[in-house]
C-alpha cells in the first residue's frame, strides 16, 4: 500500500492539500528549482499569514497532520530515483522525497508555517537555533568573507563570529554599534562584506535594531541583512521590513514549552535550495536536521503563538511600569522613556505589544542574586534559569550566565551591567498574584540589606 501511495503522488497531493492556495506552489520550504520567486500574497499581520498558510490534514482525514517518521522513502520505478536526484522530481514536484536529512514532509510543513509567520518565501527548520545561525552564516559568507555584526548579540552568536568562524573558516567579523548608521556604513566593505547581522531585540540589553536602515546599508554594499528574531516573534517581522534572512531559536517563545531545542532559517526559496544543494549546501552537508516528531509538536504550538505573545507582552509591560514606579532601574522597550521606544512602535506589528523580555539593573551581581534568590526560593515568582519564552517567568543574571562568553570589556561596551537581571515574563497564575510575589521578594531583600549593610560583597546564590 505504501508503494501505491508513493507512486500515486498526484492523488495524495490533492487529498493532503484541500486548502491549497494560488500561491501555494512557490511558498513551500523548498521553493522553485528555477530560482524565480513567484508572486506571493503576503499578509501584513503574522497571525493572518499563519492562518492563511496551508492546513495539513492527517493521512486518514485527521485534523492534525500525520507524522512522517521515515528516514528514507520508496519509489515505484527505478528511474524515479534518478529523476529525484537530478531535481526533476521532489517535494514540490510530485510530492516525492528521498531521505529525511534532505527534506521530510513533516519538517517541511513546519517550515511552511515558519515562512508564513515571517513573511518569507521559504523556511527550513533545524535542530537548534545555533545550527540555523551557523549554517546560514557559513552558506552566505564563505571562507575569508567579512561580516558586520552588532556588538549586542547572544553570547553564542558572539563567540561563533569572534572565535569559531575565524578559526574554522577565516571569516572576519567587525562588531559595531548597530544604532550608529555612520559606523555601520564605515564597517561595511563593498565586495567583501557578505552579511550584516543583528538581533531584532538584542540579548540581553533589549536594544531594538533599526531594520529598515540596516537593510539599506547592507543592500547598498551588496550584502545580505540577517536578523535573529528569537526575542520578538509576532511582535516584529524583520523580512517585512527589508531583512533578507530571519533566523530563530525556536527553543524559546515559538516552542513555549522549554522542552525542545530547535531552530529555523526563513528566507528566499533560492537560499533554502542552495543550502540543500547535494554538493555545496550547508544544511545538506552539515546536517543539523530536525526530527519529524519534534516538527509535529512544534507545528501544534504555532497556532497559539499569537495569543501567548500578547499575554507575555501585556504582563511584561505591566510589570515594567510597576517596577519603574517602585524606583527600580528597568529597561523595557515598551516604556515611553526607553531609547528605542519610538523605533519599536514604528516597526512593530500592531497588537502584539513590546515583547515578553525585560531587564532590571540591580547594580551589583550580589544584589541581583539576592533578588533572584527570593523571587525563586521564597516567594516563587519565577525560576532562576536561562532561556526564555516559557509560561513561568525565567530569570538570569546575564553577565555571569548567557553573556559570560563575552570578554568583560565587550560586555561593558554592550551595556551589560554585572547586576542586570534578565526576565522572560511568564503568563501562568494571575498577574496580581505574581506581582504580589515580586513585591514581597523585593521588600525582603531590602529588609535584609538594612539588617546587614555590609553583605553586598558576600553571599553568592548564582547557580552558574
Ligand atoms: C537561545 C538563543 C540562540 C541559540 O539558540 P539555541 O536554540 O539554544 O541553539 C540564538 N539567539 C538568541 C537570541 C537566543 O536567545
Amino acid at each position: 500500500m505504501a508503494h501505491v501511495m508513493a507512486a500515486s503522488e498526484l492523488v495524495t497531493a490533492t487529498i493532503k492539500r484541500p486548502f491549497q492556495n494560488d500561491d501555494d506552489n512557490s511558498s513551500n520550504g523548498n521553493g522553485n528549482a528555477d530560482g524565480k520567486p513567484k508572486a506571493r500574497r503576503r499578509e501584513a499581520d503574522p497571525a493572518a499569514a499563519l492562518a492563511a498558510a496551508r492546513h495539513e490534514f492527517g493521512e486518514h482525514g485527521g485534523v492534525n497532520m500525520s507524522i512522517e517518521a521515515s528516514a528514507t522513502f520508496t519509489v515505484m520505478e527505478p528511474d524515479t530515483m534518478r529523476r529525484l536526484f537530478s531535481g526533476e522530481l521532489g517535494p514540490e514536484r510530485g510530492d516525492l522525497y528521498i531521505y529525511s536529512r534532505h527534506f521530510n514532509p513533516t519538517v517541511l510543513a513546519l517550515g511552511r508555517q515558519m515562512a508564513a509567520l515571517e513573511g518569507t518565501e521559504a523556511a527550513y527548520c533545524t535542530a537548534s537555533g545555533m545550527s540555523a545561525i551557523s549554517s546560514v552564516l557559513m552558506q552566505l559568507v564563505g571562507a575569508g568573507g567579512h561580516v558586520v555584526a552588532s556588538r549586542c548579540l547572544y553570547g553564542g552568536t558572539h563567540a561563533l563570529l569572534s572565535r569559531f568562524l575565524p578559526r574554522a573558516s577565516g571569516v572576519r567579523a567587525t562588531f559595531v554599534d548597530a544604532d550608529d548608521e555612520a559606523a555601520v556604513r564605515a564597517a561595511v566593505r563593498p565586495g567583501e562584506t557578505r552579511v550584516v547581522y543583528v538581533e531584532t531585540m538584542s540579548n540581553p540589553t533589549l536594544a531594538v535594531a533599526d531594520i529598515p536602515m540596516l537593510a539599506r546599508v547592507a543592500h547598498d554594499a551588496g550584502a545580505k541583512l540577517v536578523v535573529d528574531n528569537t526575542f520578538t516573534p509576532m511582535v516584529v517581522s524583520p523580512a517585512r521590513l527589508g531583512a533578507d534572512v530571519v533566523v530563530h531559536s525556536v527553543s524559546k517563545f515559538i516552542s513555549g514549552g522549554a522542552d525542545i531545542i530547535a531552530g529555523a532559517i526563513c528566507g528566499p526559496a533560492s537560499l533554502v535550495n542552495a543550502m540543500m544543494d547535494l554538493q555545496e549546501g550547508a544544511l545538506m552537508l552539515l546536517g543539523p536536521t530536525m526530527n519529524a516528531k519534534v516538527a509535529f509538536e512544534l507545528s501544534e504550538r504555532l497556532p497559539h503563538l499569537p495569543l501567548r505573545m500578547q499575554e507575555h507582552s501585556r504582563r511584561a509591560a505591566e510589570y515594567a511600569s510597576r517596577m519603574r514606579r517602585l524606583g527600580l532601574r528597568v529597561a523595557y522597550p515598551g516604556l515611553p522613556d526607553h531609547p528605542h521606544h519610538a523605533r519599536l512602535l514604528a516597526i512593530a506589528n500592531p497588537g502584539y505589544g513590546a515583547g515578553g523580555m525585560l531587564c532590571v539593573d540591580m547594580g551589583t551581581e550580589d544584589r541581583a542574586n539576592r533578588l533572584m534568590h527570593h523571587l525563586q526560593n521564597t516567594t516563587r515568582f519565577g525560576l532562576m534559569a536561562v532561556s526564555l519564552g516559557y509560561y513561568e517567568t525565567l530569570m538570569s543574571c546575564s553577565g555571569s550566565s548567557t553573556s559570560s562568553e563575552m570578554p568583560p570589556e565587550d560586555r561593558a561596551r554592550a551595556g551589560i551591567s554585572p547586576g542586570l537581571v534578565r526576565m522572560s515574563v511568564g503568563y501562568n497564575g494571575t498577574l496580581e498574584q505574581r506581582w504580589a510575589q515580586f513585591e514581597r521578594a523585593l521588600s525582603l531583600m531590602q529588609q535584609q540589606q538594612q539588617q546587614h549593610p555590609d553583605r553586598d560583597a558576600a553571599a553568592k546564590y548564582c547557580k552558574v
Side-chain angles (χ1 to χ4, degrees):
M1 243 356 248
H3 284 73
V4 176
M5 292 293 286
S8 60
E9 66 267 9
L10 293 176
V11 177
T12 50
T14 29
I15 291 169
K16 280 187 194 162
R17 300 174 181 178
F19 289 173
Q20 189 158 3
N21 300 327
D22 308 343
D23 55 5
D24 205 44
N25 295 330
S26 67
S27 58
N28 302 333
N30 56 336
N32 314 309
D34 63 11
K36 276 189 230 124
K38 288 177 195 151
R40 182 176 185 213
R41 183 170 44 81
R42 291 208 176 142
E43 301 280 355
D45 182 290
L50 259 178
R54 177 168 113 187
H55 187 105
E56 301 286 334
F57 290 89
E59 225 179 326
H60 306 283
V63 292
N64 289 309
M65 68 177 164
S66 303
I67 304 175
E68 184 49 83
S70 292
T72 189
F73 300 82
T74 59
V75 291
M76 283 302 282
E77 305 299 335
D79 192 49
T80 309
M81 192 70 90
R82 185 192 57 72
R83 294 170 72 200
L84 271 165
F85 273 84
S86 73
E88 193 187 323
L89 294 174
E92 303 314 318
R93 291 153 187 262
D95 197 25
L96 290 172
Y97 295 82
I98 303 174
Y99 183 61
S100 282
R101 171 157 50 78
H102 186 232
F103 288 114
N104 169 284
T106 316
V107 181
L108 208 50
L110 179 67
R112 279 195 282 273
Q113 283 177 290
M114 287 301 302
L117 167 69
E118 288 298 354
T120 58
E121 213 179 355
Y124 190 84
C125 294
T126 58
S128 67
M130 282 316 296
S131 65
I133 295 166
S134 54
S135 310
V136 95
L137 285 173
M138 286 197 212
Q139 186 74 28
L140 292 176
V141 182
H146 182 243
V147 176
V148 172
S150 164
R151 205 171 263 164
C152 306
L153 289 182
Y154 174 68
T157 309
H158 189 272
L160 180 76
L161 280 167
S162 63
R163 308 290 291 273
F164 181 85
L165 286 176
R167 176 171 69 69
S169 60
V171 162
R172 292 151 303 143
T174 306
F175 294 93
V176 294
D177 175 356
D179 244 11
D180 182 346
E181 179 169 354
V184 184
R185 282 199 187 273
V188 167
R189 307 174 197 158
E192 258 182 87
T193 306
R194 306 276 172 240
V195 162
V196 174
Y197 188 97
V198 295
E199 290 169 2
T200 309
M201 198 178 276
S202 71
N203 181 1
T205 49
L206 312 184
V208 179
D210 185 346
I211 294 168
M213 177 276 281
L214 292 163
R216 278 195 304 277
V217 174
H219 297 160
D220 286 350
K224 304 273 188 227
L225 177 63
V226 179
V227 179
D228 180 335
N229 200 30
T230 299
F231 277 31
T232 44
M234 307 304 301
V235 176
V236 178
S237 301
R240 294 180 172 92
L241 300 164
D244 300 283
V245 182
V246 180
V247 287
H248 272 286
S249 169
V250 173
S251 326
K252 314 294 170 56
F253 285 106
I254 294 175
S255 156
D259 57 343
I260 285 174
I261 300 291
I265 300 164
C266 311
S270 57
L271 173 72
V272 176
N273 281 336
M275 293 188 81
M276 270 304 160
D277 187 273
L278 301 180
Q279 306 286 340
E280 307 218 0
L283 287 172
M284 188 61 198
L285 298 172
L286 296 172
T289 315
M290 179 183 279
N291 183 300
K293 294 165 195 168
V294 167
F296 175 81
E297 285 246 346
L298 290 168
S299 80
E300 289 198 303
R301 301 176 191 192
L302 268 168
H304 48 67
L305 178 66
L307 295 174
R308 288 187 279 119
M309 288 312 296
Q310 281 168 343
E311 191 59 8
H312 281 296
S313 290
R314 186 179 79 88
R315 297 220 184 180
E318 190 60 35
Y319 294 162
S321 50
R322 290 184 188 193
M323 287 175 189
R324 167 66 48 81
R325 284 202 292 278
L326 292 179
L328 293 173
R329 275 199 294 190
V330 51
Y332 182 65
L335 289 176
D337 64 354
H338 187 279
H340 292 157
H341 179 69
R343 175 180 300 165
L344 181 64
L345 278 186
I347 65 170
N349 295 314
Y352 301 99
M357 304 298 294
L358 67 82
C359 287
V360 194
D361 188 351
M362 298 306 292
T364 66
E365 184 179 340
D366 185 62
R367 282 169 54 82
N369 289 346
R370 269 187 283 145
L371 176 64
M372 289 194 296
H373 164 76
H374 284 303
L375 287 172
Q376 174 179 280
N377 301 332
T378 316
T379 70
R380 299 169 62 185
F381 170 80
L383 303 172
M384 273 186 274
V386 299
S387 198
L388 43 132
Y390 192 37
Y391 57 79
E392 292 277 5
T393 295
L394 301 179
M395 336 170 264
S396 58
C397 181
S398 300
S400 51
S401 60
T402 46
S403 297
S404 60
E405 295 100 316
M406 283 170 113
E409 60 278 10
D410 287 358
R411 269 206 303 273
R413 276 205 285 182
I416 304 168
S417 120
L420 196 79
V421 177
R422 186 190 77 180
M423 285 188 189
S424 162
V425 176
Y427 51 77
N428 71 341
T430 71
L431 194 151
E432 295 305 335
Q433 168 197 25
R434 295 309 200 170
W435 179 249
Q437 292 169 329
F438 182 86
E439 280 194 315
R440 203 155 70 78
L442 189 70
S443 73
L444 276 170
M445 182 197 143
Q446 285 163 346
Q447 275 166 26
Q448 285 175 353
Q449 199 170 328
Q450 280 156 10
Q451 286 158 11
H452 309 279
D454 56 341
R455 243 190 89 175
D456 258 67
K460 299 259 183 250
Y461 294 105
C462 212
K463 292 210 293 195
V464 202

